Amino acid sequence: MMNDAIFTKQRLINLAIILTAIWFTWFAQVTFDEYTVRIINNVAIFVILAVSYNLINGVTGQLSLEPNGFVAVGAYVTAILTLDADAMLYQFDLEDPAQWVLALQADFAWALLFAGIVSALLALALSFPVFRVRGDYLAIVTLGFGFIIKILAINNPHITNGSLGLNDIPEFSNLYWTGGIAIFAVLAILNIIYSKYGRAMKAVRDDEDAATAMGVNTFKTKTLAFCTSAFFEGVGGGLLAALLTSISPDLFTFLLTFQLLIIIILGGLGSTTGAILGTVFVMAGLEWMRFLDEPMNIFGFQTEGTPGMRMVVFSLILIIVMLFAREGVMGKKELFDLKWFKKKKADK
């Protein structure tokens, strides 16, 4: 009886959180001004990227530095599928676009799905050479993937318009898309973490040799996490392209991966809730602190604006947080507990 009461309470809390997130998505889209909505859109996209990156890096414990590559793939796939032929012919200056590129057309929803699938298939192909190594070597191998994607984008102007990138991408991304997919991504990844596959991922993270000895197929487990992570990173890239309406190879450098790494470490490696909190803190916090770059009146003293001051303050906050919370804000804990979904099925 006590366990049933606890599970019922968890169900109600989780349902309330999900409904609140859905309500906030609708409320923000119809109420907030354009600038605020754009910031929330950006936060929602980075929530997708952070929780998916956390699955391979935090939950499975594989130091992978590839997100910028898969985000770039998703962004270019979505852009090519949603740009019409006339827009491509107008903006391709280095070389004429390939005929098969001009023939590709799809609705935004299908373009996002295709972006995720292409990224996941690339991850599947990449997993065979990548997971032959571990630790720092894995980081170096996956880091190279991002550079390869950037070089391919620059040197194939008949597909990507080279270093000039793609412009005038239809602006499909709004909070219904970004917020809705962010909620779906969080729920999907939490369900994976609480499934038997999630337990296998944690076993690989804690001790890969012991997991192998216990019968866990470590390659299959790591590949599942890698492909799932790549799928959502590709979808996130597509949403980013449709939000910015302009992409180029310089947008998807290692700095993007480094930013995601800061987010998940700050929130707590292995915690999906921590990845969400870290995203809000980094992405929304940096925007909120813009006032630090402007002239201020402090107790009657007028100060001149100092460009970059917000980055100094932000870096100090990061140092303080990491000194006093070395496992991140959440550590490996979660606010969500989706085990009750499985309990509900068992009751039936």
Side-chain angles (χ1 to χ4, degrees):
M1 291 297 290
M2 180 65 73
N3 288 336
D4 288 342
I6 293 173
F7 281 124
T8 301
K9 184 178 178 182
Q10 288 176 339
R11 289 170 185 157
L12 291 174
I13 292 173
N14 290 339
L15 186 61
I17 293 173
I18 294 169
L19 290 177
T20 301
I22 294 172
W23 171 83
F24 178 77
T25 300
W26 167 81
F27 180 77
Q29 181 65 46
V30 300
T31 306
F32 294 167
D33 60 81
E34 187 177 345
Y35 173 70
T36 307
V37 168
R38 192 170 183 83
I39 293 173
I40 300 174
N41 267 317
N42 207 30
V43 170
I45 291 172
F46 270 81
V47 164
I48 299 168
L49 301 180
V51 297
S52 56
Y53 186 37
N54 187 57
L55 183 67
I56 182 68
N57 208 328
V59 178
T60 316
Q62 305 303 305
L63 182 53
S64 173
L65 300 177
E66 40 59 41
N68 58 318
F70 290 126
V71 174
V73 169
Y76 273 103
V77 168
T78 304
I80 290 171
L81 287 176
T82 54
L83 271 169
D84 61 50
D86 290 338
M88 284 194 184
L89 287 169
Y90 177 76
Q91 64 180 283
F92 272 56
D93 293 328
L94 301 175
E95 280 187 27
D96 289 335
Q99 289 301 314
W100 64 270
V101 171
L102 293 175
L104 290 174
Q105 285 288 299
D107 293 334
F108 184 54
W110 287 108
L112 284 180
L113 182 62
F114 197 64
I117 291 173
V118 170
S119 298
L121 290 176
L122 270 176
L124 180 62
L126 197 62
S127 63
F128 290 94
V130 161
F131 290 131
R132 294 175 64 86
V133 295
R134 301 181 186 178
D136 298 341
Y137 302 103
L138 175 63
I140 294 170
V141 173
T142 50
L143 177 66
F145 173 70
F147 287 113
I148 291 172
I149 294 297
K150 180 179 176 181
I151 297 301
L152 287 176
I154 293 174
N155 290 291
N156 288 281
H158 59 294
I159 301 174
T160 63
N161 201 23
S163 57
L164 299 180
L166 298 172
N167 303 303
D168 299 327
I169 302 166
E171 190 176 359
F172 287 114
S173 287
N174 55 35
L175 277 179
Y176 301 133
W177 280 107
T178 59
I181 294 177
I183 293 170
F184 173 77
V186 170
L187 292 175
I189 287 175
L190 279 173
N191 272 288
I192 290 174
I193 292 173
Y194 283 116
S195 70
K196 65 177 182 180
Y197 302 108
R199 291 193 293 275
M201 291 172 189
K202 291 175 183 175
V204 171
R205 175 191 64 192
D206 294 339
D207 192 326
E208 188 168 338
D209 292 328
T212 303
M214 292 297 293
V216 175
N217 187 330
T218 56
F219 175 76
K220 180 180 175 183
T221 301
K222 290 188 285 188
T223 301
L224 174 64
F226 197 47
C227 292
T228 305
S229 180
F231 176 84
F232 284 110
E233 287 164 359
V235 172
L239 289 169
L240 193 64
L243 177 69
L244 301 177
T245 70
S246 177
I247 58 173
S248 70
D250 290 337
L251 187 65
F252 307 105
T253 63
F254 177 68
L255 284 178
L256 176 62
T257 295
F258 188 62
Q259 195 173 17
L260 290 171
L261 201 56
I262 289 174
I263 287 172
I264 62 173
I265 291 176
L266 180 66
L269 272 176
S271 169
T272 302
T273 312
I276 297 170
L277 294 177
T279 304
V280 173
F281 178 76
V282 172
M283 302 308 296
L286 277 174
E287 284 298 323
W288 177 75
M289 287 192 290
R290 280 190 184 279
F291 72 92
L292 294 172
D293 295 347
E294 301 171 354
M296 289 185 290
N297 189 324
I298 304 175
F299 302 114
F301 294 98
Q302 187 69 32
T303 64
E304 296 182 357
T306 307
M309 179 57 71
R310 66 181 177 128
M311 295 306 298
V312 174
V313 174
F314 182 75
S315 300
L316 288 174
I317 293 173
L318 280 181
I319 292 171
I320 293 170
V321 170
M322 296 316 299
L323 282 176
F324 291 95
R326 298 191 178 185
E327 292 190 348
V329 176
M330 292 296 295
K332 291 183 173 60
K333 298 188 292 294
E334 301 282 6
L335 289 181
F336 291 92
D337 185 352
L338 294 190
K339 285 186 288 189
W340 58 276
F341 282 141
K342 298 181 75 63
K343 175 68 178 175
K344 189 175 180 180
K345 290 177 181 177
D347 288 343
K348 290 180 177 179

